[in-house]
Amino acid sequence: MELTDPIQYLKGIGPKKAEQMARLGIYRIYDLLTYYPRAYEDQSRLTPISDLQAGEKATVTGTVMSTRERVAGKRRLRILTALIGDGTGFLQVSWFNQPFLKKQLQPGRRLFVTGKAEYAYGGQGQFAMSQLISYQLLSEQEEPEGKLGILPVYAATEKLNQAFFRREVALLLSLDLPLREVLPPAVEKAYDLMPRREAFSAIHFPKDAAALAAARKRLAFEELYLIQCGLLLLKRKARESKRGVRHLAAGRLSQQVIAGLPFALTDDQAAVWREICRDMELPVPMRRLVQGDVGSGKTVLALLALVKTVENGFQGALMAPTEILARQHYESFTRQLAGTGICVGFLSGHLTPKQHEEMYERIASHEVDIVIGTHALIEDKVQFAALGLVVTDEQHRFGIAQRAALEKKGASLPDVLVMTATPIPRTMTLTVYGDLDVSQIRHLPPGRQPIRTFVRGTDRRPLIYEYVRKQIEAGRQAYVVCPLIEMNEDVDLPSAEEVYEELRHGFFRGISCGLLHGRMKAAEKEAVMQAFYENRIKLLVATTVIEVGVNVPNAALMVIEHAERFGLAQLHQLRGRIGRGPYRSYCILVSDSKTENAKERLAIMAETTDGFELAEADLRLRGPGQFFGAQQHGLPDLKVADVLRDTDLLLAARQAAQETLKRSEDLSFVLPVLAVQYKEQFLHITDT
Ligand code: ADP
Ligand code: MG
């Protein structure tokens, strides 16, 4: 049997089961093999009934003394209770709606049960299993010790229960699966790792805690090692490619655009710009990540790099994660490039078919020099005449796979510049961006006033809005952010629509207000944003559509309603919309939440504006998945490793991967495994 064979090849799995398993993401033999337990049940020790502790899990073996059946409650639950004894005491065990068990639980029958013990109701100190986790009937001669062990607990469903998973996984492990060795023997030895085949067995059915830990370490290491190999291979492939685009030193156009900027580049910006130039001037494709907190001034670097590619006769593409942001870049670039002769085009999913065709043609014919757009840029129909540079903005929304799709669009490999405001901890940088070189903008442009942040209860809304009104009357603009778009009867939260109606007829009567949310038509959104940019709208009620990138320096106030509904990373991005100009800015987090976690999150927001500090706090409070937003992080699927906890392992795996790649030209042992495991991310290296 091959690891890529459909799961149905396994005995006991028919079309129906296969379909149910597909819903859990299990399609192939390999997927079941790596459907690791989400927990374990320790049945490695037997506890005498007299030693049971209330509230603790234990495994007990005993003999059925008697059974009794009753019907209880409105729902006519049939409860079967057996009293079992082991010579040290008695224990009640109950089953619900399983009348057929009565026949099997004859007095004298021996039983093996695991569960949580509690004092039995009215049982005078007797114990009952309040949560029966598992039970097994023992045959006459069977020794209960034979049943002892650590049992896997899978993320099961009603139809696919624990017993099913335990049976099928055990069956799978008993087969002679073609599990190739992935790690070079030297690595396995150096890091004291359990052999692969043994690790797969032990992670499902560990014989003790030490075996489980060793299996986990081995598989986590392997996972991280593979990803690092993949990323380093990507990097090497780009580096060795003779198809890179070679740019010349900055020419007249670049100088003209720099001279036309309304500000001088900061030292950090200038340093990063030099790094970008150096990369672009090499024949090897650039793969550079620019990391800089919100408002640090990354956009101008994108602009300069794009101009540089254009003056060298190439086209450039800038991809943004939202329509609003793409549109904003388009408008501001068009303005800043007026008089240079550079033609800027816009592409998003919301154009008419005719506009699409037209834009495709203008891109293919090189009439357009710079295209700015959304994910629509990735589509196959977009073909460039001479793509020299791809910039992706706010990269954390794009995975490795999307990045690759864009890169494939040129005859040569274009230079790649990635901008992110996400203050990614180092370990994550290595995992998500392990194939990129990193530049950092550490300081904000001068003259910024620090943003002041306050947490306030809803009872203070009148005061808050009175203050906002005063500020608007003094010339500023303001955002009000709400978690929901429209009325929702299930949740007791004011929606953006409601808040908008309430505010414009209430506190802000006579002041021009706007509403912006994700479900509005593209043209409507655009009109509202345009009015806000032009200061015709003073108060913008919005959902998180304004989260990234929006740049209106005159907006100096932000009120976030139900702030507890947002994650730290999101609040930080939102808050980054203000404090972009010379005005003192205020962010008010409105919340009545009493939960500790929410209170802590908001308190941290009020305390610091440092993205790195916030990111670390967020990781601590919510874990890595949440931090990047569901499914959007582009992080390869890690099943065992944990980028937070396994930092040491990650660094070791990266080093091992580096050494492997340095030593051996032949990666035939890595590529097939990479293909099975991370097909999507590394398609373009495993394909060839
Ligand atoms: P981000 O890094 O979040 O993308 P932007 O590039 O949007 O930040 O820049 C934020 C604001 O700072 C913009 O209004 C931009 O014009 C301004 N800015 C950028 N660089 C400088 C600078 N060197 N001096 C002054 N203002 C700058
Ligand atoms: Mg930006």
Side-chain angles (χ1 to χ4, degrees):
M1 188 152 356
E2 292 296 323
L3 293 178
T4 47
D5 283 344
I7 192 69
Q8 246 178 283
Y9 286 21
L10 197 62
K11 208 169 139 222
I13 298 175
K16 209 171 196 157
K17 282 270 183 275
E19 200 190 302
Q20 289 156 359
M21 291 175 89
R23 267 180 242 144
L24 297 175
I26 307 171
Y27 305 94
R28 310 166 297 174
I29 295 292
Y30 174 79
D31 301 329
L32 182 62
L33 186 65
T34 55
Y35 197 69
Y36 299 129
R38 64 171 172 74
Y40 299 86
E41 257 165 46
D42 189 355
Q43 302 187 352
S44 58
R45 261 180 335 113
L46 282 180
T47 306
I49 292 175
S50 60
D51 286 359
L52 288 176
Q53 298 286 332
E56 302 212 335
K57 271 195 224 161
T59 298
V60 167
T61 183
T63 308
V64 178
M65 316 304 285
S66 63
T67 55
R68 112 186 110 89
E69 217 183 343
R70 65 199 162 94
V71 175
K74 261 204 220 108
R75 291 167 52 217
R76 319 281 312 150
L77 215 53
R78 295 176 68 176
I79 308 174
L80 177 69
T81 303
L83 187 68
I84 65 170
D86 70 347
T88 73
F90 297 102
L91 172 72
Q92 297 175 16
V93 184
S94 300
W95 289 265
F96 301 98
N97 285 339
Q98 301 188 46
F100 55 89
L101 277 175
K102 194 174 172 189
K103 243 196 269 156
Q104 297 175 23
L105 292 167
Q106 296 293 334
R109 187 70 196 262
R110 288 190 313 142
L111 201 62
F112 182 81
V113 292
T114 299
K116 197 156 124 193
E118 295 293 356
Y119 290 114
Y121 183 70
Q124 281 130 26
Q126 211 176 60
F127 276 108
M129 280 296 182
S130 66
Q131 287 172 27
L132 184 62
I133 296 169
S134 72
Y135 70 93
Q136 289 176 64
L137 296 163
L138 298 177
S139 56
E140 282 299 317
Q141 302 84 8
E142 205 172 354
E143 289 299 329
E145 279 73 18
K147 301 268 183 208
L148 290 179
I150 297 179
L151 279 188
V153 178
Y154 295 96
T157 62
E158 201 178 330
K159 299 221 170 80
L160 304 170
N161 57 20
Q162 291 302 337
F164 169 80
F165 276 111
R166 287 174 186 168
R167 189 182 66 231
E168 294 303 323
V169 172
L171 175 64
L172 188 61
L173 291 170
S174 73
L175 302 175
D176 187 27
L177 291 174
L179 289 170
R180 312 156 136 271
E181 200 36 78
V182 181
L183 302 176
V187 170
E188 213 173 86
K189 189 145 170 278
Y191 295 95
D192 190 22
L193 300 170
M194 186 185 246
R196 194 163 194 239
R197 187 177 293 276
E198 203 178 310
F200 277 122
S201 281
I203 199 158
H204 288 287
F205 297 100
K207 71 174 190 307
D208 52 32
L212 176 58
R216 204 191 148 268
K217 177 181 167 197
R218 149 80 209 204
L219 294 171
F221 186 96
E222 173 182 315
E223 220 166 47
L224 296 167
Y225 172 84
L226 283 172
I227 291 172
Q228 290 306 323
C229 280
L231 291 169
L232 292 170
L233 274 171
L234 279 179
K235 194 167 179 172
R236 176 158 97 185
K237 194 172 166 194
R239 188 150 290 166
E240 284 173 355
S241 152
K242 306 248 164 14
R243 298 192 296 138
V245 173
R246 181 168 196 162
H247 296 87
L248 303 177
R252 193 185 50 80
L253 270 182
S254 289
Q255 279 151 17
Q256 185 185 335
V257 172
I258 293 178
L261 291 176
F263 46 73
L265 295 182
T266 63
D267 290 349
D268 281 357
Q269 283 170 323
V272 176
W273 175 230
R274 277 194 301 275
E275 288 175 321
I276 293 172
C277 283
R278 197 187 55 212
D279 283 0
M280 288 181 76
E281 287 158 23
L282 290 174
V284 173
M286 167 169 77
R287 318 186 114 252
R288 184 163 290 280
L289 172 74
V290 176
Q291 223 176 6
D293 212 342
V294 282
S296 62
K298 296 181 294 294
T299 316
V300 65
L301 295 169
L303 175 73
L304 294 179
L306 288 164
V307 169
K308 186 177 174 81
T309 205
V310 171
E311 76 181 346
N312 278 277
F314 296 102
Q315 290 168 295
L318 171 63
M319 184 155 76
T322 67
E323 170 111 20
I324 289 176
L325 191 50
R327 179 62 73 171
Q328 170 184 289
H329 285 323
Y330 171 70
E331 305 279 345
S332 79
F333 283 21
T334 307
R335 218 172 28 240
Q336 293 182 74
L337 296 176
T340 58
I342 296 176
C343 173
V344 185
F346 178 77
L347 193 63
S348 87
H350 288 108
L351 303 177
T352 64
K354 186 153 164 275
Q355 287 171 318
H356 268 136
E357 289 308 322
E358 229 173 77
M359 189 46 68
Y360 294 150
E361 221 177 279
R362 294 176 62 205
I363 295 170
S365 67
H366 203 154
E367 183 193 328
V368 169
D369 298 306
I370 295 175
V371 195
I372 297 175
T374 58
H375 277 81
L377 282 174
I378 301 184
E379 277 171 35
D380 284 342
K381 287 195 191 141
V382 185
Q383 290 299 334
F384 290 84
L387 186 60
L389 172 72
V390 173
V391 184
T392 62
D393 191 15
E394 308 298 349
Q395 157 78 15
H396 61 289
R397 303 279 180 109
F398 297 113
I400 297 167
Q402 283 95 328
R403 194 150 81 219
L406 247 188
E407 283 172 41
K408 276 193 306 207
K409 292 202 170 292
S412 6
L413 279 178
D415 282 338
V416 173
L417 186 62
V418 170
M419 314 275 204
T420 183
T422 313
I424 316 159
R426 182 175 145 70
T427 48
M428 288 220 192
T429 313
L430 286 181
T431 319
V432 192
Y433 303 123
D435 59 330
L436 305 178
D437 300 309
V438 180
S439 296
Q440 274 186 333
I441 307 181
R442 291 194 170 76
H443 303 99
L444 300 180
R448 294 279 172 83
Q449 302 258 8
I451 304 172
R452 304 231 192 145
T453 304
F454 302 95
V455 184
R456 294 288 181 261
T458 47
D459 56 326
R460 305 287 286 278
R461 283 178 88 222
L463 285 173
I464 296 166
Y465 284 121
E466 196 179 309
Y467 181 74
V468 173
R469 189 183 170 105
K470 273 207 199 107
Q471 287 286 309
I472 289 177
E473 283 164 357
R476 300 289 77 73
Q477 286 166 278
Y479 297 98
V480 175
V481 183
C482 305
L484 290 182
I485 297 176
E486 51 192 30
M487 272 253 287
N488 181 336
E489 287 177 0
D490 299 339
V491 208
D492 187 23
L493 283 180
S495 65
E497 281 175 353
E498 280 172 284
V499 170
Y500 168 68
E501 290 302 333
E502 177 204 327
L503 292 181
R504 78 192 180 110
H505 293 119
F507 291 115
F508 297 94
R509 189 195 300 263
I511 284 177
S512 70
C513 299
L515 173 67
L516 189 75
H517 61 68
R519 259 187 255 146
M520 287 162 51
K521 293 218 175 70
E524 288 169 354
K525 277 193 267 191
E526 198 185 307
V528 171
M529 265 334 281
Q530 201 53 39
F532 194 61
Y533 288 132
E534 289 169 10
N535 201 356
R536 285 183 282 116
I537 287 177
K538 305 285 182 186
L539 181 97
L540 185 62
V541 179
T543 58
T544 53
V545 285
I546 55 148
E547 183 184 342
V548 283
V550 169
N551 185 34
V552 180
N554 188 46
L557 294 128
M558 175 172 282
V559 180
I560 303 182
E561 294 275 359
H562 282 273
E564 76 280 355
R565 307 279 296 191
F566 302 96
L568 267 183
Q570 209 171 19
L571 288 171
H572 179 58
Q573 286 287 342
L574 284 168
R575 183 172 58 183
R577 299 314 107 218
I578 57 173
R580 300 189 145 241
Y583 312 105
R584 172 162 286 186
S585 296
Y586 296 92
C587 176
I588 298 132
L589 306 169
V590 183
S591 173
D592 287 335
S593 178
K594 299 277 178 288
T595 75
E596 276 314 308
N597 189 296
K599 280 202 295 203
E600 190 179 343
R601 237 182 306 142
L602 300 182
I604 294 168
M605 279 300 291
E607 219 166 84
T608 181
T609 51
D610 182 299
F612 274 93
E613 246 174 75
L614 288 167
E616 257 149 42
D618 201 24
L619 279 165
R620 193 161 42 73
L621 290 168
R622 306 207 311 164
Q626 292 294 325
F627 173 67
F628 278 102
Q631 304 298 315
Q632 286 185 326
H633 47 57
L635 201 66
D637 194 13
L638 294 171
K639 289 185 164 154
V640 189
D642 175 333
V643 277
L644 277 187
R645 269 185 319 184
D646 295 327
T647 313
D648 293 345
L649 216 51
L650 173 60
L651 294 177
R654 179 162 177 94
Q655 194 181 350
Q658 264 160 349
E659 278 161 21
T660 305
L661 259 64
K662 217 181 295 163
R663 255 201 323 269
S664 108
E665 284 303 303
D666 173 26
L667 287 164
S668 52
F669 61 97
V670 175
L671 291 181
V673 187
L674 216 49
V676 176
Q677 214 143 326
Y678 300 109
K679 192 163 169 46
E680 198 192 328
Q681 278 90 6
F682 297 120
L683 197 58
H684 43 309
I685 48 175
T686 52
D687 258 8
T688 48

